[in-house]
């Protein structure tokens, strides 16, 4: 396959453009809910995240109004706890991470030169699950049912003894499934970045923002499973009295802190890195010069992502951990400032080398640099263990993380909205109002949060709803409250201007900033008219005629070959064209599946079990219908995409992008299981005797029988892929594998039942039961996948170029086999090793 399209190719005939527009025509009217294209879903995603930003901000203003004067009675203690918990939860879970993914869903396909993300229905599912679940979760504040244990939900305060109602359950079940939505979005973005870049856009030529989202995608894959595991354990403790975190029965409240902060500290950088990537895109534009130290900035992004996983104990310096672990984490907490500093110096050097235009974007970028650097300096301070002991759980920490999070994410987000909003309808926000917006936000932010450093040093604790008079805190708290309302006034002014701008008539967006990257190419609902051949990092600067060439169809894929939605799959490193892939069009299944998923988790919270399982079944059926429609053999084997260049349509096995998505999903799965295994090891090491009194290990023949059956089932799936042309052979082998998986789990379960496993008596037994339940859930999924493969084989739909169902089932089968072997070894041989 040639590496570049010929620039002198003649413009394509108008018939091709008409077919392209017809294939990508967005739905209208009530069918709007069925849209899956990134341009529609991305706008909805961003708007919903902004809504939660405003709602969380209102809750923050209520908190500041309560704390404006001592001994205030505006909010009761219980109400304040709910408002405080919801403010942090909504900001972190419903605004920050979703906004990060929302902007990526909207921007990345065009920035990478792709027609859409590779799994558009997955994007739609992730959005609707987040939007519906998030709105229902937020509405609990109006009924006094919101969680009140803090956004970190530390046990034992969130156990049934101290939180007997459903408040904590709303957090555990509601936020737990919203994290599943975030993981779905991360898998979509990783595959999209690695496999759908424009031809020639090697990793070295990829925009920094795409690099930041690639790093963040992998961080989500490895960090978010820990909080999912933690919420599962805490909810099982509340629902079934399994004492994972109850010290009197062998549990440990610190276990929750380990699981939560293994997710929680990387989440800070999951929020910051995309903002840093956007800053690296905007700074060169306002300075009119390429980014200084491009390669160093990319390495720094990867470095921050790596270091972030070593910092979770940073939040636990006062929890009574060992001196060695605290020293190592303290060193890592300081070391992470190095790659962060590299990026800051690269931005300053770029502004210094160029000639910055003093506009709205530049104002917010300068404000970001000032605030984030201050937050980074206090971050180094709290990395020093003795200092952290003094200020931990004080308002100094509140000031620090707001400087990092608002400075590191919100100010760059506002700069990005001013920069990229013309892509929406061709209109720019008001530059005159932007100066007022920035002034109010910058002054209000510093007036609100800088005094908190001082009040924290004076001893004001976090998470209190009032304070006594005469402590020297009155003036500082009043200043913070005034600052919060000034900051809010800036946000309100921005929203007024945003609504005004969005309501203006649409027009071609052009390139108002003279930017160098592909998202500024002329595009419609299908993205660019033809997918460009890339020759450098700044294609629009290096080839000024590229816009005209792409718009006239002179590059790759100027129309639609099959009459459906399509994009190109390229190699992960060099972006060499591999094949063309057909993308699913608009449909109702993602919307229905999202509603069913949200209904399942939210109805479980209020104990409507039958209705919850009906919603879960609805979601499952919708997903199966969605998958059934997706995996079809193409009508033709090759496609002509560049005048006289032919490429394959679709692929099979590991060459297919769906195969790699399944691999990523299994990495998430394995990380959840690793978190459960960590919990088991943690409570085992705390026990005086392992297994503890009253618990016993199953007889040796049970785990051996289970292991043998698991291996046999995997072997059957392995050979079924080799016998794909024989419908009967595939069906028989899949049935055999299903029987083996069921028998393996039955053997493991009967062995523990014979040994008298009682999960409510001790945390060791509870962690064993949790891992066993997790394995049982996977066996249930194997049975569904096996039945699905048999149904496709019976209908004659299982073919070499339509084998994703069998390939995915085989991957899952091999993973469940490995998980079952690890489970048996961990439970049966860990006690002997510890002894």
């Amino acid at each position: 396959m040639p590496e570049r399209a010929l620039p002198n190719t003649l413009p394509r005939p108008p018939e091709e453009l008409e077919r392209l527009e017809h294939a990508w025509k967005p739905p209208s009217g009530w069918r709007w809910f069925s849209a899956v294209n990134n341009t529609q879903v991305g706008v909805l995603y961003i708007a919903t995240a902004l809504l939660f930003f405003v709602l969380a901000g209102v809750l923050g203003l209520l908190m500041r109004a309560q704390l404006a004067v001592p001994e205030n009675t505006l909010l009761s203690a219980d109400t304040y706890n709910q408002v405080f918990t919801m403010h942090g939860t909504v900001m972190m879970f419903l605004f920050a991470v979703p906004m990060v993914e929302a902007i990526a869903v909207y921007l990345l396909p065009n920035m990478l030169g792709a027609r859409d993300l590779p799994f558009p229905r997955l994007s739609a599912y992730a959005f609707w699950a987040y939007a519906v679940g998030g709105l229902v979760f937020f509405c609990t504040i109006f009924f006094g049912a919101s969680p009140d244990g803090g956004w970190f939900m530390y046990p034992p305060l969130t156990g049934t003894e101290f939180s007997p109602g459903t408040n904590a359950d709303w957090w555990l079940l509601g936020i737990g499934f919203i994290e599943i939505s975030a993981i779905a979005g991360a898998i979509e973005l990783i595959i999209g970045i690695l496999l759908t870049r424009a031809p020639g856009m090697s990793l070295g030529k990829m925009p920094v923002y795409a690099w930041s989202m690639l790093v963040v995608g992998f961080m989500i894959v490895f960090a978010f499973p820990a909080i999912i595991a933690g919420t599962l354990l805490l909810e099982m403790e509340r629902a079934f009295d399994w004492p994972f975190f109850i010290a009197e029965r062998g549990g440990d409240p610190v276990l929750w802190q380990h699981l939560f902060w293994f997710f929680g500290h990387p989440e800070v950088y999951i929020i910051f890195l995309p903002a840093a990537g956007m800053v690296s895109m905007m700074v060169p534009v306002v300075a009119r010069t390429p980014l200084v130290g491009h390669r160093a900035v990319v390495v720094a992004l990867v470095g921050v992502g790596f270091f972030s996983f070593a910092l979770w104990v940073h939040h636990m310096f006062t929890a009574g951990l060992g001196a060695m672990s605290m020293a190592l984490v303290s060193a890592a907490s300081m070391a992470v400032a190095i790659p962060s500093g590299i990026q800051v110096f690269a931005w300053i050097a770029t502004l210094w080398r160029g000639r910055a235009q003093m506009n709205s974007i530049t104002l917010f970028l300068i404000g970001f640099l000032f605030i984030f650097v201050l937050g980074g300096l206090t971050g180094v301070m709290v990395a020093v263990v003795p200092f952290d002991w003094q200020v931990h759980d004080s308002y100094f920490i509140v000031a620090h993380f707001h400087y990092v999070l608002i400075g590191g994410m919100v100010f760059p987000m506002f700069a990005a909205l001013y920069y990229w909003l013309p892509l929406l309808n061709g209109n720019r926000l008001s530059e005159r109002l932007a100066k007022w917006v920035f002034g109010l936000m910058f002054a209000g932010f510093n007036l609100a949060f800088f005094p908190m450093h001082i009040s924290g040093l004076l001893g004001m604790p976090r998470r209190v709803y009032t304070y006594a008079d005469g402590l020297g805190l009155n003036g500082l708290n009043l200043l913070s409250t005034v600052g919060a309302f000034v900051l809010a006034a800036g946000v309100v002014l921005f929203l007024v201007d945003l609504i005004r701008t969005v309501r203006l008539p649409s027009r071609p967006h052009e390139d108002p900033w003279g930017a160098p990257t592909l998202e500024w190419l002329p595009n419609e609902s299908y993205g660019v008219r033809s997918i460009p051949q890339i020759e450098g990092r700044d294609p629009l600067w290096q080839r000024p005629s590229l816009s005209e060439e792409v718009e006239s169809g002179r590059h790759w894929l100027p129309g639609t070959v099959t009459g459906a939605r399509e994009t190109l799959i390229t190699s992960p490193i060099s972006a060499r064209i591999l094949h063309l892939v057909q993308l699913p069009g608009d449909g109702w299944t993602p919307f229905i599946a999202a509603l069913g998923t949200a209904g399942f988790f939210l109805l479980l919270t209020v104990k409507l079990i039958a209705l919850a399982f009906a919603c879960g079944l609805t979601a499952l059926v919708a997903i199966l219908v969605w998958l059934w429609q997706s995996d079809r053999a193409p009508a033709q084997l090759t496609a002509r995409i560049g005048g006289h260049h032919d490429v394959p349509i679709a692929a099979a096995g590991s060459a297919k992008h769906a195969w790699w998505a399944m691999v990523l999903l299994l990495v998430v799965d394995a990380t959840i299981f690793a978190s459960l295994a960590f919990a088991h090891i943690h409570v085992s090491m705390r026990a005086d005797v392992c297994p503890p009194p009253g618990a016993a290990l199953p007889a040796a023949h049970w785990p051996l029988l289970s292991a043998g059956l698991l291996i046999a089932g995997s072997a059957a799936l392995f050979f079924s892929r080799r016998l794909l042309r024989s419908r009967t052979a595939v069906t028989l082998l899949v049935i055999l594998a299903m029987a083996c998986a069921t028998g393996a789990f039955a053997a493991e379960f009967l062995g523990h039942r014979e040994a008298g496993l009682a999960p409510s008596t001790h945390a060791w037994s509870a962690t064993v039961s949790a891992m066993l339940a997790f394995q049982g859930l996977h066996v249930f999924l194997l049975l569904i996948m096996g039945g699905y493969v048999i149904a496709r084989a019976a209908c004659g739909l299982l073919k070499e170029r339509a084998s994703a169902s069998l390939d995915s089932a085989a991957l899952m089968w091999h993973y469940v086999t490995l998980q079952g072997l690890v489970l048996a070894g961990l439970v049966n041989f860990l006690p002997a090793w510890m002894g």
Side-chain angles (χ1 to χ4, degrees):
M1 173 58 58
E3 288 301 317
R4 56 177 295 175
L6 298 177
N8 60 350
T9 302
L10 294 175
R12 312 307 300 171
E15 295 81 16
E16 287 192 5
L17 181 58
E18 291 174 5
R19 294 182 70 216
L20 185 64
E21 290 175 339
H22 181 267
W24 290 86
K25 183 179 180 181
S28 59
W30 58 272
R31 292 179 59 82
W32 170 78
F33 290 95
S34 68
V36 300
N37 191 355
N38 75 290
T39 54
Q40 285 98 46
V41 172
V43 171
L44 291 172
Y45 224 144
I46 293 171
T48 306
L50 280 175
L51 172 63
F52 283 120
F53 173 66
V54 172
L55 293 175
V58 171
L59 296 178
L61 293 178
L62 285 174
M63 293 165 58
R64 285 314 320 164
Q66 168 66 19
L67 295 171
V69 294
E71 301 176 1
N72 198 353
T73 58
L74 176 66
L75 300 177
S76 67
D78 289 341
T79 302
Y80 182 88
N81 283 341
Q82 291 188 37
V83 170
F84 157 73
T85 301
M86 289 294 286
H87 169 74
T89 300
V90 174
M91 277 293 190
M92 297 298 286
F93 294 99
L94 298 180
F95 161 63
V97 174
M99 176 59 87
V100 162
E101 293 193 337
I103 294 175
V105 166
Y106 183 75
L107 280 183
L108 272 179
N110 289 335
M111 189 179 288
L112 299 175
R115 287 269 161 78
D116 200 346
L117 291 167
F119 305 104
R121 292 188 175 182
L122 186 61
S123 294
Y125 169 79
F127 163 70
W128 286 114
Y130 149 70
V132 174
L135 288 171
V136 173
F137 173 76
F138 185 85
C139 287
T140 59
I141 193 75
F142 301 113
F143 303 98
S146 294
D148 52 6
W151 76 278
F152 36 80
M153 293 294 286
Y154 284 170
L157 293 179
T158 51
T160 52
E161 181 181 357
F162 300 103
S163 298
T166 61
N167 301 61
D169 298 308
W170 279 109
W171 194 99
L172 294 169
L173 290 171
I175 295 303
F177 98 85
I178 290 172
E179 296 312 307
I180 296 173
S181 167
I183 289 172
I187 293 174
E188 168 90 299
L189 293 173
I190 291 171
I191 299 298
I193 293 169
L194 289 178
L195 297 179
T196 64
R197 303 193 306 275
M201 187 186 283
S202 64
L203 289 179
K205 300 172 186 174
M206 192 167 72
V208 175
Y209 177 66
W211 268 109
S212 70
M213 289 309 305
L214 181 62
V215 173
V216 162
F218 280 108
M219 290 175 68
I220 290 175
V221 163
F222 285 101
F224 279 40
I227 190 62
I228 292 175
T231 56
L232 285 174
L233 294 180
L234 186 51
E235 183 58 30
M236 284 192 289
E237 177 178 295
R238 292 177 56 82
F240 307 125
D241 194 30
W242 293 6
F244 303 105
F245 309 108
I246 300 175
E248 293 79 5
R249 289 189 275 167
D252 186 8
V254 176
L255 171 61
W256 170 266
Q257 294 191 40
H258 280 296
L259 294 173
F260 183 86
W261 290 117
F262 187 80
F263 141 82
H265 203 91
E267 188 189 26
V268 173
Y269 296 100
I270 287 169
I271 295 167
F272 164 66
L273 288 183
M278 291 188 290
V279 170
S280 293
M281 301 293 289
M282 291 182 283
V283 165
V285 175
V286 300
R288 311 303 302 159
T289 186
L291 180 67
V292 172
H294 179 280
R295 184 173 297 178
V297 169
V298 170
V299 172
L301 288 170
V302 177
V304 170
F306 174 79
F307 274 115
S308 69
F309 283 93
L311 306 184
W312 84 89
V313 181
H314 176 110
H315 297 263
M316 302 168 61
F317 283 158
T318 61
L321 304 177
M324 179 63 74
S325 61
M326 288 195 293
L328 291 174
V329 175
S330 177
S333 301
M334 296 179 188
V336 77
I338 297 173
S340 300
I342 289 172
Q343 296 176 81
V344 171
F345 283 119
W347 299 326
I348 294 173
T350 305
L351 292 170
W352 180 269
R353 188 172 72 174
R355 182 174 296 177
Q357 309 163 58
M358 193 52 64
N359 54 25
S360 55
I361 305 164
T362 308
L363 287 174
F364 277 97
L365 291 176
I366 292 173
F368 149 73
L369 286 170
F370 177 82
I371 295 171
F372 180 72
V373 168
L374 281 180
L377 291 174
T378 56
V380 173
M381 293 170 67
V382 297
V384 179
V385 177
F387 182 80
D388 186 84
W389 283 343
Q390 302 303 312
V391 299
H392 193 81
D393 282 341
S394 77
Y395 260 70
F396 187 94
I397 301 299
V398 176
H400 158 66
F401 70 69
H402 278 89
Y403 264 81
V404 171
L405 294 177
I406 296 182
M409 191 270 181
V410 174
F411 273 77
M413 180 195 75
F414 274 82
L417 290 172
Y418 278 96
Y419 179 69
W420 276 297
L421 190 70
L423 291 175
L424 181 62
N425 66 356
N427 297 295
R428 293 168 54 178
L429 290 159
S430 168
E431 283 292 318
R432 182 175 60 86
L433 289 179
K435 294 179 173 59
W436 283 97
V437 171
F438 171 76
L440 290 169
M441 289 185 64
F442 185 79
F445 172 82
N446 285 287
L447 184 61
F449 293 102
F450 191 83
M452 292 183 186
H453 293 100
I454 303 170
S455 61
L457 291 173
L458 292 176
M460 180 158 179
R462 298 168 65 183
R463 307 160 190 162
V464 292
Y465 84 105
T466 191
Y467 53 95
D469 196 1
L471 299 177
L473 302 173
N474 299 16
L476 293 169
N477 275 301
L478 185 58
L479 279 176
S480 291
T481 299
V482 171
F485 279 88
V486 173
L487 171 62
V491 174
V492 169
L493 184 59
F494 168 81
L495 292 174
V496 170
D497 191 27
L498 177 65
I499 294 170
R500 177 195 66 82
T501 305
V502 169
R503 289 171 59 88
L504 292 174
S506 295
R507 58 181 181 177
H509 65 68
E510 300 176 340
D511 185 358
W513 317 110
T517 43
L518 298 182
E519 74 272 20
W520 294 103
L521 289 171
N523 62 74
E524 301 293 341
S525 59
Y526 48 78
V528 292
R529 166 69 198 279
S530 56
I531 297 177
Q533 179 72 32
I534 302 304
E535 299 173 348
R537 291 175 183 163
D538 302 310
L540 297 188
W541 283 353
Q542 295 163 341
R543 192 182 182 97
S545 63
L546 188 60
S547 292
E548 181 184 348
E549 294 173 15
V550 166
E551 181 66 4
S552 60
R554 299 185 185 185
H555 285 254
W556 303 107
L557 197 60
T560 172
V561 177
T562 63
R565 299 181 179 184
E566 304 155 342
T567 196
L568 295 178
I569 298 296
T570 53
S571 59
I573 297 176
S574 63
R576 178 176 52 86
I577 297 175
L578 298 178
H579 60 269
L580 179 140
V581 63
Q582 292 179 263
L583 300 174
D586 300 318
W588 287 102
T589 49
F591 180 71
I592 295 170
L595 291 182
T597 305
F600 174 73
F601 284 96
L602 297 174
L603 290 169
L604 278 181
T605 306
V606 292
K607 306 299 188 289
L608 295 176
I609 306 300
L611 194 55
F613 276 92
C615 287
L617 181 61
T618 301
L620 179 61
V621 171
I623 291 172
L624 290 176
V625 171
W626 152 14
L627 296 175
W628 189 276
Q629 297 170 347
S630 302
D631 189 19
R632 294 184 178 275
Q636 58 193 83
L637 296 180
T638 61
R640 181 151 294 183
I641 63 168
H644 54 276
H645 305 301
D646 294 329
V647 297
I649 297 181
S654 60
K656 195 174 180 66
H657 62 288
W659 191 89
W660 288 103
M662 189 67 187
V663 170
L664 285 174
L665 180 61
L666 293 180
V667 171
V668 172
D669 216 343
T671 310
I672 296 175
F673 180 75
S675 301
L676 299 177
F678 169 80
H680 178 68
I681 295 171
H682 184 87
V683 300
S684 297
M685 294 178 69
R686 279 183 51 83
D688 296 328
V689 180
C690 187
L697 297 175
H701 64 273
W702 290 114
L704 292 175
L705 175 60
S706 177
L709 289 171
L710 285 171
I711 294 171
S714 277
L717 257 292
F718 176 82
F719 286 112
S720 69
R721 186 65 178 83
R722 300 298 184 273
L723 301 172
L724 189 60
R725 294 185 179 182
S726 173
R727 188 184 310 178
T728 303
V730 169
T731 301
L732 291 176
L733 286 171
V734 171
I735 291 173
L736 175 61
M738 293 168 68
C740 288
T742 306
F745 177 72
E748 193 74 37
F749 177 79
L750 290 173
H752 283 288
R753 182 178 180 182
E754 182 183 87
L757 186 68
S760 61
T761 59
H762 195 278
W764 184 90
S765 299
T767 55
V768 172
S769 300
M771 291 189 292
L772 193 61
F774 195 66
Q775 180 72 356
L777 173 63
H778 282 72
V779 170
F780 175 70
L781 291 176
L782 291 185
L783 297 180
I784 294 175
M785 295 178 77
Y788 179 80
V789 170
I790 292 171
R792 288 190 68 84
C795 295
L797 298 176
L798 203 58
K799 301 176 182 179
E800 183 62 33
R801 287 180 177 266
S803 60
S805 55
L806 181 57
D807 294 334
S808 298
L811 282 172
M812 177 63 81
W813 231 284
H814 302 327
Y815 167 75
V816 174
T817 295
L818 179 61
Q819 180 175 279
L821 296 176
V822 172
L823 169 60
L826 192 64
V827 173
N828 291 279
F829 301 113
L830 179 65
W833 176 78
M834 291 180 62

